[in-house]
Amino acid sequence: MKTLKNLIAAILTLTLVLGLTACGSSSSSETSAESGGESATYKIGISQYGEHGSLDNCREGFLEGLAQAGIVEGENLEVLYENAHFDNQMTTQIGQTFSAADVDLMVGIATPSAVACYNAAEDKDIPVIFTAITDPVEANLDSGNVTGTSDALPVEGQLKLIRALQPDADTIGIIYTTSEPNSVSAIRTYEELAGDYGFTIDAVGVAAQEEVTQAADTLISRGVDCLSNLTDNNVVGVLSAILEKTNEAGIPIYGSEVEQVKLGCVAGAGIDYVQLGIQTGLMAAKVLTGEATCADMPYETIENYGLYINSDAIAAMGLTVPDDIASQAQECAE
C-alpha cells in the first residue's frame, strides 16, 4: 500500500511539473500580462518598403521610441527587419514571413509595406503599426487591428515657400505614382490649394520607378518653373537622377522633408521623420505592453513642420531667400 501511495504521489508531482513547463512555454506577450511586464520579451517584424533617408529615419526613430518606453532591441526585444526594395510582391512575402514567425506586432514603413502586413496579419489578428503613410483613410488602414502615424504633407506651407522663393513662378511640376494612395491624395490637395497662391499644377503619373526619370524629362520639356516632391517612394528612390536633369535645366526642386533637401533640393517644408518614428514607437509600446489596443488609438499626425534650405542649391539656381524664411529655416547644405 505504501508503495502504491508513493507511486501516486510521484505521478501527481510529474503532472504538476509538466503543467508548469507548459505554462512556461507561452508567448512573450502572455508572460508579460501574467508577470506585470517585468520579464517580458517581445518579437516584432519591421517591413520597410525601400531604402532612402526618410524611411530610414522612421525606422531609427521607431526603435528609439520603443527604447524610451523601456523596450530595447537586444535586451527584451527581438527585431525581424526586412527591406522590400520598392518591390510590391516582396512586401507580400515579408508580411507572410512575419505571420509565420508569430511575431507580437508587425510594423509597416510606407503604404505598400503597411498594407501587406495588415493583409498577412488579419487571419491571426496580429496588431499592425504603420508609419510614413500620408493618407491612412485612402489606404484603408483606418480601422481594424491597425494604427500608426501619418506623414501628411504641409502642402500649404510648401506653396507659401515656393511663392516666397520664386515670386514669378506659374507652374509647379509633380511626379507621382498612380497606384500609391498617398500620392494620389497629395496631388488632389495640391490641385485644391494651388490656385490660392497663383499656381497651376502639372502632374505626371508613373506606374513604376523605371518611368520616373522619363517623367522628369517630360516636365522639363513642358517648361515648368519648378518641381515639388511628394513623399512618393518611387520618386524619392531616384531623386539623385532627377536632380541631375533639373540642375542641368536650371529648374529648382523643392523637397518634402529634410533628407531630400540634403540631397540637393533647394528648400522644403516638411516634417521630421525621426520624430515621426519616435511617436510611432511610443504607440507600439502601448500595444505590446497591453496598455492599449490599436482600436484604442486612432492614427496620429504630426501637426508642426519645419522649413529647410540648401544654400548651395539655392545659389546655383540664382534664388534669394527672404529674411523671414532664412531666420526660421534649418540649413541643410553639406
Side-chain angles (χ1 to χ4, degrees):
M1 180 67 70
K2 185 175 181 181
T3 302
L4 180 59
K5 288 182 178 178
N6 289 341
L7 179 60
I8 293 172
I11 292 171
L12 290 173
T13 300
L14 179 60
T15 302
L16 178 61
V17 169
L18 291 174
L20 290 173
T21 303
C23 290
S25 66
S26 62
S27 71
S28 59
S29 56
E30 289 172 350
T31 303
S32 171
E34 293 171 5
S35 65
E38 293 180 3
S39 61
T41 59
Y42 307 98
K43 179 166 65 174
I44 68 172
I46 299 178
S47 175
Q48 182 172 318
Y49 186 50
E51 188 171 356
H52 61 69
S54 58
L55 300 188
D56 292 342
N57 286 346
C58 270
R59 185 183 74 252
E60 292 169 11
F62 177 81
L63 294 173
E64 184 178 336
L66 285 178
Q68 288 180 13
I71 301 175
V72 181
E73 185 177 9
E75 295 182 12
N76 58 352
L77 175 67
E78 178 186 354
V79 177
L80 308 181
Y81 168 69
E82 296 290 345
N83 191 308
H85 303 290
F86 305 106
D87 184 330
N88 287 350
Q89 289 185 334
M90 183 66 71
T91 64
T92 300
Q93 294 173 19
I94 291 169
Q96 292 170 346
T97 298
F98 290 163
S99 179
D102 287 325
V103 296
D104 296 308
L105 179 142
M106 295 190 199
V107 183
I109 302 178
T111 303
S113 288
V115 170
C117 282
Y118 182 63
N119 291 339
E122 202 166 11
D123 287 344
K124 294 186 177 181
D125 203 30
I126 299 171
V128 175
I129 301 290
F130 60 75
T131 188
I133 294 182
T134 300
D135 192 340
V137 176
E138 187 88 18
N140 296 315
L141 291 172
D142 56 327
S143 64
N145 199 4
V146 59
T147 191
T149 56
S150 165
D151 62 350
L153 297 174
V155 174
E156 192 162 15
Q158 185 86 319
L159 292 170
K160 289 179 180 178
L161 178 64
I162 296 172
R163 178 53 70 208
L165 268 64
Q166 292 183 259
D168 300 323
D170 295 317
T171 305
I172 300 172
I174 304 177
I175 305 169
Y176 73 102
T177 303
T178 55
S179 60
E180 189 162 329
N182 291 343
S183 299
V184 174
S185 175
I187 289 293
R188 190 161 54 238
T189 303
Y190 263 96
E191 290 175 339
E192 289 171 356
L193 296 177
D196 295 341
Y197 296 89
F199 293 116
T200 58
I201 302 298
D202 188 350
V204 175
V206 299
Q209 193 170 73
E210 293 75 21
E211 301 173 15
V212 172
T213 53
Q214 183 179 350
D217 288 334
T218 297
L219 289 172
I220 291 170
S221 69
R222 292 177 181 173
V224 296
D225 295 294
C226 64
L227 270 66
S228 185
N229 270 352
L230 310 178
T231 49
D232 188 300
N233 294 292
N234 282 326
V235 177
V236 178
V238 291
L239 179 55
S240 295
I242 301 171
L243 282 163
E244 287 183 13
K245 293 177 176 292
T246 55
N247 286 343
E248 184 178 349
I251 298 175
I253 298 183
Y254 293 83
S256 57
E257 46 84 31
V258 62
E259 298 299 333
Q260 295 179 25
V261 180
K262 286 180 181 178
L263 277 175
C265 293
V266 293
I271 64 173
D272 184 327
Y273 275 80
V274 173
Q275 289 301 316
L276 185 72
I278 291 172
Q279 184 174 342
T280 314
L282 293 172
M283 295 177 74
K286 291 181 179 179
V287 174
L288 286 170
T289 60
E291 182 181 342
T293 67
C294 290
D296 294 330
M297 298 184 293
Y299 74 85
E300 300 177 1
T301 303
I302 288 183
E303 296 181 358
N304 298 324
Y305 65 89
L307 295 177
Y308 308 101
I309 57 173
N310 184 323
S311 293
D312 292 342
I314 286 171
M317 291 293 166
L319 303 177
T320 301
V321 180
D323 292 341
D324 60 332
I325 291 177
S327 63
Q328 301 174 54
Q330 175 184 329
E331 175 60 62
C332 296
E334 296 182 346

